[in-house]
Each structure stands twice: as structure tokens, then as C-alpha cells.
Amino acid sequence: MTNGDLPADIRDGVRVYASRLESFVREVAWHAEIGSTNDTALMLAERGAPEGTVVGADLQTAGRGRRGRSWASPPGAGLYVSVVLRPDARTVPLVTIAAGVAVADAIGEAIGLAAVLKWPNDVYLGGRKVAGILAEAGSSHAGVHHIVLGVGVNVGRASYPPEVAARATSLEHEVGRPVDRGLVLGCCLAALGARYREAGSDPPHVLAAWRRYAESMLRRPVTCHVGGGTVSGIAAGIDDQGALLVRAGADTVRVVSGEVIWH
Ligand code: BTN
């Protein structure tokens, strides 16, 4: 693993988890400022960057969230990282589920807080969102498919835009003490490596972990905007492909992607 010129806290955090990162992380490239770490990682993946290439930044000027939203990425407040993955076809559907589980694992291990997952992989603490994951697929000229997994974690208290502040929280706010973003990064990458491997070798284990983290969200009313339509019902769980199951009257609807509003 080559680390180039990393900020001291990031370098130290990666060192602490070095033995667990060895078989997964190939290179960590850090930027003081970037448009979007996902865009840069997608570009590197298209040019053939290997699985385990990590792109991180202190601040993003064009951070992207799911469903075309922006992701507020102020300096010194969060972790903004993207990882290049090259999963086999069987693992692809479980990549985002595995990523959510990994971030929840890392928050438990590094901070000692019990995170909750909302489908597909929003990470919540104290009823407010603390981390989000954006998985984007691409293919290179050689036709090799890749996924870039972007993870944004709110680490410190920051001035987020008001519409974000009302719905968001940070690790420091929830734990009530300063949090070392380098340790959070190291722990997230270690957990991601482990859960990603597991998604390939033992999918039921990853699915069971996701269901445990999402337990408090299940059996809750949801509205899903899928394609052109809307499905309202009760969240019943996820199937073996990671799709959300919504019980709507006598039917169970399988939601693969779309906007889900939890009531
Ligand atoms: C969401 O909408 O919940 C997903 C947010 C994902 C944000 C991360 S920050 C690092 C990476 N780069 C981006 O532009 N987005 C992701």
C-alpha cells in the first residue's frame, strides 16, 4: 500500500489499521480540495486503477449525494472518500448493502455508538443522518466493470446549510468529544474490506448484519417513489439480493432503487 503525501491524521489512522487494510487498500490518494472524490475515482477506475484505490479529500466543491442531490462537504467537518471496487457479477447487488454495514460496524468499533441503517445504506445516529453512501458503476474501454463507492461521514460540528443541519448529525455531536477522522477512515476501510469480501463469500452473513442494524426501521410505514409510480406500505425487510420488500395490502413489492420516505 502506498500512501503518498497524506495529512498526518489520515496517515496515522491508516497505520493503526494497516494489518487489516493490507489485503484490500492498494493506494490512498489525498487531495486538499477536489470536485467530487467519486468523479476522480471513476476517472481513475476507467483508466485501469486497481480495486482498493482510495481517493479522499479535505473538502469537496461538488460533492454528490444520491438521486442527484448535492452533499455538503465543508472543510474539517467530514470524511469524503471513494473506493474503486471490481466485484464479480454475483457480488454487485450486495455492494451497497455491505458498505452500509461496514460504516455502521466502523462507527461501533471506532466510536462505540450503535448506528441504525435505513435502506439502502443511510447511516443514522440519534434519529439523524450521520453518513451516506453513493455507489456508481462504470466500465472502461476494455469493458471491465467497476463500482466506485463514495462514503461521506459527518465527523465534526460544522456549519451545514440549514436544510441539511435539521436532518443531520455528526459523530462528535453524538459522542460529545473530539473524534479523530483518521481513525474513523482507517476503521471504515478495514470494515469495508471485510464486509465486501464477505458479500462475495458469505452473502447471508452480510444480509443478517444489515437486518440487525435496520431492525428498528422495519415494520415502519414507508412511501417509495419508484420509476413513475408510488408504493406505500410497511417495510418488511430485504431479500437476498438486497432489495427492499414493502408490504402493500396483500402484495409484497420489491423495491430495487428509488426514493424511500420513512414515516
Ligand atoms: C447520500 O446521498 O446519502 C450519499 C452521499 C455520498 C457522499 C460521498 S462524499 C464522498 C463521495 N464523493 C461524492 O461526491 N459523494 C460521495
Side-chain angles (χ1 to χ4, degrees):
M1 180 170 77
T2 49
N3 287 334
D5 271 342
L6 298 181
D9 58 342
I10 298 295
R11 189 193 57 224
D12 292 348
V14 166
R15 261 192 205 145
V16 167
Y17 291 92
S19 63
R20 286 162 60 188
L21 297 179
E22 249 163 33
S23 58
F24 178 55
V25 172
R26 297 287 290 273
E27 180 173 357
V28 181
W30 204 265
H31 301 255
E33 180 178 328
I34 205 167
S36 155
T37 55
N38 262 35
D39 287 345
T40 300
L42 280 165
M43 192 249 309
L44 293 174
E46 268 155 38
R47 292 182 183 169
E51 177 160 277
T53 299
V54 177
V55 178
D58 293 327
L59 91 98
Q60 299 185 114
T61 54
R64 289 188 283 111
R66 285 191 295 118
R67 314 202 63 71
R69 298 195 183 96
S70 62
W71 182 260
S73 311
L79 266 182
Y80 317 114
V81 286
S82 300
V83 186
V84 174
L85 300 176
R86 299 189 178 276
D88 57 36
R90 220 169 43 102
T91 310
V92 168
L94 291 185
V95 164
T96 59
I97 291 290
V101 170
V103 173
D105 285 346
I107 289 175
E109 183 182 343
I111 313 293
L113 295 175
V116 167
L117 290 178
K118 283 191 187 181
W119 189 88
N121 51 24
D122 286 341
V123 187
Y124 277 69
L125 282 175
R128 292 195 288 168
K129 185 160 164 173
V130 72
I133 294 161
L134 176 66
E136 296 182 296
S139 56
S140 63
H141 297 306
V144 181
H145 295 284
H146 52 261
I147 290 182
V148 161
L149 201 63
V151 181
V153 184
N154 303 334
V155 176
R157 299 159 197 258
S159 43
Y160 289 103
E163 70 280 7
V164 175
R167 293 178 283 109
T169 190
S170 67
L171 295 177
E172 291 191 348
H173 179 80
E174 295 299 323
V175 78
R177 62 172 166 79
V179 167
D180 182 331
R181 68 172 182 160
L183 286 177
V184 176
L185 172 67
C187 200
C188 273
L189 292 174
L192 184 61
R195 291 299 188 178
Y196 174 58
R197 252 192 313 274
E198 203 171 68
S201 63
D202 187 5
H205 208 253
V206 180
L207 290 162
W210 190 93
R211 290 177 181 122
R212 275 195 305 278
Y213 282 125
E215 178 59 31
S216 61
M217 300 311 301
L218 298 181
R219 295 171 294 281
R220 297 254 302 255
V222 285
T223 302
C224 308
H225 300 289
V226 202
T230 298
V231 178
S232 291
I234 301 295
I238 54 169
D239 69 10
D240 290 349
Q241 297 294 299
L244 179 67
L245 301 173
V246 178
R247 211 152 280 149
D251 298 327
T252 299
V253 181
R254 195 171 174 267
V255 177
V256 177
S257 68
E259 168 114 51
V260 178
I261 296 153
W262 299 83
H263 302 292

